[in-house]
Amino acid sequence: MTTKQHRLGTGFGAHSTADDVLAGIDLSGRTALVTGGYSGLGLETTRALTRAGAHVIVPARRPATAEEALRGVPRTEVRELDLADLESVRDFADRFLDTGRALDTVINGAGVMACPETRVGPGWEAHFATNHLGHFALVNRLRPAFAPAGARVVSVASSGHFLSDIRWHDPHFRDGYDRWLAYAQSKTANALFAVRLDALGAGSGLRAFAVHPGSILTPLQRHVPRDQQIAQGWITPDGTPVAGFKTPAQGAATAVWAATSPLLDRHGGAYCQDCDIAAPADTDDMLIGGVKPWAVDPDAASRLWELSAELTGLDSFGQGPGKAAV
Ligand SMILES: NC(=O)c1ccc[n+]([C@@H]2O[C@H](COP(=O)([O-])OP(=O)(O)OC[C@H]3O[C@@H](n4cnc5c(N)ncnc54)[C@H](OP(=O)(O)O)[C@@H]3O)[C@@H](O)[C@H]2O)c1
């Protein structure tokens, strides 16, 4: 089924915060997992979910930093996980599955952007490996934990996907590295992952969505020097974000909305923005956003799933080559 990208008119918008979209929603007794849930948008997401009553597991590649960031936030637990290391993903998932607990929500928010060329695992490009393959492996490993009554997985993608489809000929940039194309490809992959995961999981009650959170100043920009941020039109010379940028609380809203809104019950696989389904992008302006066709193409989503299953040796939803390895 092709994902229908059309706005619903949800009553929320670009200025809504995570608390706004959770007002009146009681998440007591629910368990969420938020990768990157101790920094930037993820930290706001964790805080908002706990305020609504959820218990939040926060995987962290820097557990001590995560503990510090979450000090005083109730109903949180930090567990070690490096998404760039598939053995770490396996260990994290095995430990979680051993607890026998169910997961209601997974928000795949962790990510890196515009890093210098970095190779991980068997020489994989680090954006593709961390932002996409790590989350692909995590969700496949955690499949037995998804709550049978219905669970949701939210991929935090980006309008950065505007810059690149999946580079089928060279996903690991063996032919020359470009840090922006590397980020863009990984964000297209995040969106396509939601499309395919939803198609494979819907029959067993698992729904998946992708979101663009908006543009927000966070530690994500650590690899972009200040003069380049000014040149990109993100900040003014005095460091103030330009009009159109969101606060972290607004930036967390769409992921939290996609994780909880009943309005999305019949729209699995959708790419969302500003607390609604995103419309097709009719400009190349990433601040305006919308979704490009290659990020919601179901055939590309199947192809990416197969590639990811082959690379990771995991496929607990489909019939790919790695099924037996789970
Ligand atoms: N901020 C924006 O304007 C914007 C716009 C569009 C999309 N997004 C997306 O939103 C998501 C969150 O970004 P953010 O702005 O909140 O950035 P952030 O503050 O830098 O948070 C990213 C998180 O990902 C974690 N992470 C990175 N590599 C990891 C790894 N190998 N294993 C485990 N965790 C890892 C980081 O951990 P450490 O702190 O330990 O490094 C951090 O907790 C990202 O997926 C990003 O692409 C952001």
Side-chain angles (χ1 to χ4, degrees):
M1 189 185 74
T2 306
T3 310
K4 301 277 186 292
Q5 291 295 146
H6 55 78
R7 294 185 71 78
L8 300 172
T10 64
F12 298 114
H15 298 289
S16 303
T17 65
D19 284 341
D20 291 338
V21 302
L22 287 175
I25 295 179
D26 181 6
L27 298 178
S28 304
R30 303 287 187 91
T31 301
L33 183 153
V34 181
T35 68
Y38 58 102
S39 179
L41 310 181
L43 178 57
E44 290 297 326
T45 300
T46 300
R47 287 181 176 142
L49 291 172
T50 60
R51 278 193 289 266
H55 182 91
V56 182
I57 297 154
V58 179
R61 65 173 169 173
R62 296 186 298 150
T65 303
E67 296 279 7
E68 183 60 30
L70 293 167
R71 189 183 302 263
V73 183
R75 292 182 291 282
T76 55
E77 64 183 77
V78 172
R79 295 283 177 264
E80 189 162 357
L81 169 68
D82 181 352
L83 287 161
D85 175 356
L86 292 192
E87 287 185 18
S88 171
V89 175
R90 184 197 59 210
D91 292 348
F92 170 87
D94 285 351
R95 281 196 300 271
F96 183 79
L97 294 175
D98 282 347
T99 68
R101 289 187 292 171
L103 277 172
D104 301 286
T105 307
V106 171
I107 297 183
N108 288 327
V112 290
M113 180 178 81
C115 309
E117 183 171 4
T118 308
R119 301 276 156 193
V120 302
W124 294 341
E125 190 287 313
H127 292 82
F128 192 63
T130 305
N131 300 359
H132 170 60
L133 292 174
H135 285 124
F136 177 90
L138 180 67
V139 169
N140 274 278
R141 291 269 183 204
L142 290 174
R143 186 184 186 183
F146 288 117
R152 286 192 182 182
V153 173
V154 178
S155 277
V156 182
S158 169
S159 60
H161 80 264
F162 281 22
L163 295 178
S164 181
D165 194 348
I166 302 298
R167 294 160 50 91
W168 301 109
H169 64 292
D170 184 24
H172 294 294
F173 291 82
R174 313 265 185 226
D175 295 344
Y177 181 68
D178 180 302
R179 63 190 183 137
W180 286 113
L181 294 184
Y183 179 66
Q185 170 180 249
S186 75
K187 294 289 124 179
T188 291
N190 289 157
L192 291 174
F193 174 62
V195 171
R196 190 62 186 152
L197 179 63
D198 189 78
L200 294 170
S204 55
L206 180 73
R207 305 314 303 263
F209 305 92
V211 305
H212 168 53
S215 299
I216 308 98
L217 290 187
T218 69
L220 187 72
Q221 292 91 20
R222 64 177 72 108
H223 297 296
V224 188
R226 190 183 170 101
D227 58 330
Q228 287 180 27
Q229 294 193 38
I230 296 169
Q232 296 263 14
W234 298 348
I235 56 172
T236 60
D238 69 2
T240 311
V242 300
F245 266 57
K246 295 182 178 183
T247 65
Q250 292 167 337
T254 304
V256 165
W257 176 78
T260 56
S261 176
L263 293 175
L264 282 174
D265 282 349
R266 291 186 300 110
H267 300 282
Y271 177 101
C272 305
Q273 172 185 325
D274 297 337
C275 308
D276 202 332
I277 294 178
D282 52 12
T283 79
D284 289 331
D285 187 337
M286 286 185 251
L287 207 50
I288 294 172
V291 62
K292 294 290 186 184
W294 57 82
V296 286
D297 179 279
D299 294 331
S302 298
R303 188 175 174 190
L304 178 66
W305 189 279
E306 282 167 24
L307 173 65
S308 309
E310 196 179 304
L311 290 170
T312 62
L314 295 167
D315 188 357
S316 55
F317 292 86
Q319 301 299 320
K323 189 169 175 60
V326 178

